[in-house]
Amino acid sequence: MLETLVILTPGFPANEADTTCIPPQQLFVKALKEICPGLEIIVVSLHYPFTSSEYKWHGVKVIPIGGKDNGQFLRGITWIKTWRILTKLNNKYHPVGLLSFWMGECAFVGHYFAKSHRLKHYSWLLGQDAKKGNKYFKWIKPGAGSLIALSDFIAETVQRNYGLLPANIVPVGIDTTMFKKGHIKRDIDILGAGSLIPLKQYSILVEVVGFLKDHIPDIKAVLCGKGPEMETLKTMANSFNLTNNLSFVGELPHKEVIELMQRSKVFLHTSNYEGFGSVMAEALYAGAHVVSFCKPMAKNYRHHYVVKNRSEMKKESLAILQSPRPGHDPVLMFPIQKVAKNIISLFADEIDYSDVETL
């Protein structure tokens, strides 16, 4: 019988062409499959895609529950369905353990199922779940050893908010094979990429581009993503007279976003809270200089500039663009294969490592 790891997640790509659904977790699952060819990986997705038909994704079995993120009563039914699926999987495969994405309902179901069946279970804290007011910390009462923090910042946030320091820190990783080799023309001055929601504060990006235009009249900026803030941001851009300077390109496939990064000089990360945005790691490897308000890891990385406010963001961006030799060599933070190996090592007592590919 194949050793099996079950992953619980609120959502997962509906098919292999769906590259915009949780890209970092997609890369992780693919890398896990790559380095552990003898490990059966089964993904149980509670809400998305909106179907209940099993399917294969890059050789990984995906079992969608089809909860559709409905109200609390229907959410309870989704949890019951998930428990039943886990029971069937446990009887058939005898999994080595469970891994839940986010400290949320997946962790809630996963924790109590694993506890009742004496299985290992880890919750991977991936961002917003580390903030105050997460009821699942109270409901689960996790031990530090069962928690994986996405970054040093997330670990510190959990300790500050819940008095519990996660024992494991495993950051986001990138797939270096997705990046083109050789010289690429840097014809984009400023790039932003992500969901156009208030948390991401893309109004600051518009404001920064407006400031930079006073110094670089033909500046070219691109904002990639979709969301409820789109029209507000477009109106703001018009008020700064940026019609010919700032392009809104909407949501693009992951590969195309990386291509934009490799054409960019500066990547602006304007979010006021970020566990560890994968776009930061990708932009650095793409050779862009990253300016952000957030510092996910204690370690400092070349070409990453952490600023305190929008005024500093404007000044830092201008300094980079006006530098005669800024340098655009790739900066690798964490390869996705290393991330996958760090996660699977947590199940070391249960897994035969003879077929795990070395890095």
Side-chain angles (χ1 to χ4, degrees):
M1 182 178 295
L2 283 175
E3 293 168 324
T4 304
L5 177 69
V6 177
I7 297 175
L8 293 167
T9 178
F12 202 72
N15 50 59
E16 294 181 5
D18 184 2
T19 63
T20 61
C21 177
I22 56 172
Q25 285 68 48
Q26 284 196 40
L27 292 180
F28 164 74
V29 175
K30 287 175 66 177
L32 197 59
K33 186 69 175 177
E34 173 190 331
I35 70 167
C36 301
L39 178 69
E40 180 81 6
I41 302 169
I42 300 176
V43 175
V44 179
S45 186
L46 274 64
H47 298 294
Y48 180 83
F50 305 138
T51 178
S52 56
S53 300
E54 293 184 20
Y55 59 96
K56 285 283 188 176
W57 179 87
H58 295 288
V60 173
K61 177 186 287 190
V62 181
I63 305 176
I65 306 300
K68 301 183 180 180
D69 201 19
N70 288 318
Q72 191 61 46
F73 174 73
L74 294 178
R75 190 177 295 260
I77 294 177
T78 299
W79 296 355
I80 293 172
K81 289 181 179 178
T82 303
W83 188 283
R84 289 173 178 169
I85 290 293
L86 292 176
T87 300
K88 291 180 181 178
L89 294 177
N90 188 55
N91 292 336
K92 182 176 180 180
Y93 296 97
H94 302 294
V96 297
L98 282 68
L99 172 66
S100 295
F101 291 160
W102 286 279
M103 173 58 76
E105 56 185 322
C106 292
F108 178 72
V109 177
H111 168 80
Y112 283 104
F113 184 87
K115 186 176 181 179
S116 65
H117 292 82
R118 297 182 180 180
L119 295 170
K120 279 192 173 184
H121 173 256
Y122 291 93
S123 301
W124 201 354
L125 290 132
L126 297 170
Q128 300 294 313
D129 45 350
K131 285 185 170 182
K132 287 183 178 180
N134 186 341
K135 60 191 176 184
Y136 291 101
F137 275 94
K138 181 179 178 180
W139 291 358
I140 297 173
K141 296 181 176 61
S146 70
L147 299 181
I148 307 168
L150 183 66
S151 64
D152 294 330
F153 169 75
I154 288 296
E156 293 165 3
T157 302
V158 171
Q159 185 178 38
R160 184 172 60 252
N161 291 337
Y162 300 99
L164 185 67
L165 183 65
N168 314 285
I169 297 177
V170 181
V172 69
I174 66 167
D175 180 358
T176 59
T177 65
M178 297 182 69
F179 296 75
K180 293 181 179 178
K181 304 298 182 182
H183 175 75
I184 298 175
K185 184 179 180 181
R186 300 277 168 180
D187 57 352
I188 298 174
D189 296 300
I190 299 291
L191 175 67
S195 300
L196 306 186
I197 57 177
L199 174 72
K200 301 297 184 179
Q201 300 189 136
Y202 283 118
S203 60
I204 295 177
L205 181 144
V206 177
E207 186 179 325
V208 170
V209 175
F211 165 81
L212 293 173
K213 184 179 179 181
D214 293 337
H215 301 271
I216 309 172
D218 60 346
I219 188 168
K220 181 177 181 181
V222 175
L223 181 54
C224 176
K226 69 176 183 178
E229 295 275 287
M230 174 72 84
E231 294 307 315
T232 300
L233 293 170
K234 285 184 176 180
T235 299
M236 184 179 178
N238 289 335
S239 71
F240 277 94
N241 195 25
L242 299 176
T243 304
N244 298 321
N245 304 95
L246 177 56
S247 301
F248 293 84
V249 297
E251 186 178 58
L252 299 176
H254 192 197
K255 183 179 179 181
E256 292 184 28
V257 175
I258 287 177
E259 289 174 356
L260 289 177
M261 289 177 176
Q262 290 194 277
R263 292 169 51 196
S264 301
K265 300 172 185 175
V266 176
F267 184 88
L268 288 189
H269 195 278
T270 54
S271 177
N272 63 6
Y273 178 96
E274 190 68 61
F276 192 152
S278 60
V279 289
M280 294 174 63
E282 289 171 340
L284 284 174
Y285 192 74
H289 289 241
V290 175
V291 184
S292 73
F293 297 128
C294 302
K295 188 175 188 295
M297 304 302 290
K299 180 181 176 180
N300 295 320
Y301 290 89
R302 285 184 305 112
H303 300 171
H304 181 208
Y305 312 83
V306 182
V307 296
K308 297 178 182 178
N309 51 53
R310 63 186 66 197
S311 177
E312 288 188 7
M313 182 168 279
K314 293 174 184 177
K315 293 177 182 178
E316 198 67 70
S317 300
L318 181 61
I320 297 167
L321 293 176
Q322 291 185 332
S323 173
R325 297 179 65 84
H328 292 289
D329 52 308
V331 176
L332 179 60
M333 298 182 81
F334 303 97
I336 191 60
Q337 292 82 3
K338 182 178 181 180
V339 170
K341 192 168 185 180
N342 286 346
I343 290 289
I344 206 62
S345 69
L346 298 174
F347 299 91
D349 294 341
E350 311 295 334
I351 292 179
D352 177 6
Y353 267 79
S354 61
D355 65 347
V356 176
E357 295 186 10
T358 57
L359 302 179

